Amino acid sequence: MRRQLNSPAMPGQHGIQIDQIERLLHGAGTDWDRRAHRFAVLAEAAAHSALSRSWRTRRPRGADPQVFEAWVELCRGRWAGRMEDAPATAECCRRAAAAVPDDPTPWVVLLGILRLTRAESREVFAVWHEVTARDPWNREAHLHMLRYLSPEECGSRSSQLDFVHAVRASVPATAPAVGVELTALVDEHTRIAARGGVEALLVRRQWENNRAATALETALAGWPRPGHLRHAAALADLNLLAFAMVQAGRVRECADAFGLIGDTVTAWPWTLDGDPLDRFGYWRSRALT
């Protein structure tokens, strides 16, 4: 489906694609994690086309078309660094949330919009609470908050660490948000490397401190076991673990993670080191030989 959305549309193809998207979302039911993952993947693939507008025109009162169009606009805003009409897109989310009050997905997209527009923390946390009241371990929402609280966005290193500590203390071992701490560590690795100088040369030492080493050991003990991670973005988190182990100089220890990943390579975080497919292939061969 993603490949079809990335291809140039043929006359009349939007109708077929809309039917397929509706079936995929309906198939997720109230599995909010899988539903949000499908929205995210499909919206990114459709962001270069007019598909979201076609769906909204076809079903102007439907909640899913409004959420999809808002998510597409959010993807475009991320690429451009700004949104064309953030208030209107946010209003789409609020209308969808009113129509489907149990669904956290409209609130997840709204959280992403507020993050991108650097909204005030009071407004952001209000939406965060709406998401977690419906889906306590929503992966997308946790990643939005992690980055919003970073020193690069609207927070600080201490506020981000406080958030990570709170999540680590309560997140179940197989929850969709289980990768929050490892994501924070990779972000920190990237932050240090970007500074240059002596710090960048010694960046691998970051992975030797107690916090990072413990996070890696915890993830390594469970994540690579077949069937342990069952959330929709499990392979993305396994890519994250493999990348972190590479950066820590522990390539041989992540052979099981590479084995489970197979050929499902995620752009992030491998793109931090160059071409994702090239970097992944290189390190997988090192881990498995």
Side-chain angles (χ1 to χ4, degrees):
M1 182 68 200
R2 184 175 185 175
R3 189 175 297 124
Q4 291 178 27
L5 293 179
N6 280 322
S7 302
M10 303 293 289
Q13 191 174 9
H14 276 179
I16 297 171
Q17 291 173 335
I18 289 168
D19 290 340
Q20 291 174 320
I21 291 172
E22 288 181 335
R23 283 196 295 271
L24 280 171
L25 295 176
H26 180 75
T30 56
D31 182 339
W32 305 129
D33 170 65
R34 199 156 303 279
R35 180 172 161 80
H37 182 69
R38 291 180 181 181
F39 261 115
V41 171
L42 294 170
E44 185 171 4
H48 295 291
S49 73
L51 178 63
S52 62
R53 183 157 297 179
S54 296
W55 190 12
R56 178 86 181 278
T57 301
R58 179 172 167 178
R59 304 198 193 284
R61 296 185 180 180
D64 282 356
Q66 292 187 82
V67 173
F68 188 71
E69 186 170 41
W71 209 317
V72 163
E73 289 300 319
L74 177 58
C75 290
R76 291 170 179 163
R78 285 174 183 162
W79 298 337
R82 57 178 294 276
M83 297 192 68
E84 287 295 322
D85 191 344
T89 308
E91 185 57 31
C92 278
C93 296
R94 295 188 185 279
R95 283 197 300 268
V100 284
D102 293 335
D103 189 349
T105 316
W107 296 105
V108 172
V109 187
L110 182 55
L111 186 64
I113 294 167
L114 295 178
R115 175 193 161 200
L116 184 61
T117 57
R118 307 282 179 115
E120 298 222 357
S121 60
R122 182 175 59 181
E123 188 176 5
V124 171
F125 275 98
V127 173
W128 160 254
H129 290 311
E130 294 287 354
V131 177
T132 54
R134 294 161 173 80
D135 186 14
W137 299 111
N138 187 282
R139 183 178 186 271
E140 190 81 13
H142 276 74
L143 295 180
H144 278 316
M145 287 301 295
L146 177 71
R147 268 60 182 267
Y148 175 80
L149 293 169
S150 72
E152 289 78 21
E153 295 192 17
C154 296
S156 63
R157 187 171 184 272
S158 63
S159 61
Q160 191 180 56
L161 282 174
D162 287 345
F163 179 73
V164 171
H165 290 160
V167 173
R168 181 179 61 197
S170 53
V171 63
T174 59
V178 73
V180 164
E181 183 170 24
L182 211 51
T183 300
L185 287 166
V186 168
D187 285 350
E188 187 174 335
H189 173 96
T190 306
R191 188 181 300 132
I192 295 170
R195 291 175 190 157
V198 175
E199 278 190 288
L201 293 174
L202 301 176
V203 68
R204 183 172 288 181
R205 290 187 180 178
Q206 171 212 339
W207 298 100
E208 298 171 4
N209 70 49
N210 184 63
R211 180 172 69 93
T214 300
L216 285 177
E217 290 297 336
T218 300
L220 197 61
W223 296 12
R225 296 205 310 264
H228 180 76
L229 295 182
R230 298 177 180 273
H231 59 279
L235 291 177
D237 284 339
L238 286 169
N239 272 265
L240 172 66
L241 173 60
F243 179 85
M245 294 293 286
V246 165
Q247 302 309 314
R250 300 172 60 178
V251 182
R252 299 278 184 178
E253 296 176 67
C254 57
D256 289 344
F258 276 111
L260 284 179
I261 291 166
D263 294 324
T264 309
V265 185
T266 55
W268 192 90
W270 298 104
T271 191
L272 297 173
D273 264 2
D275 178 78
L277 292 176
D278 175 70
R279 294 290 81 203
F280 177 87
Y282 173 79
W283 289 113
R284 180 174 63 179
S285 65
R286 291 282 302 273
L288 300 180
T289 56

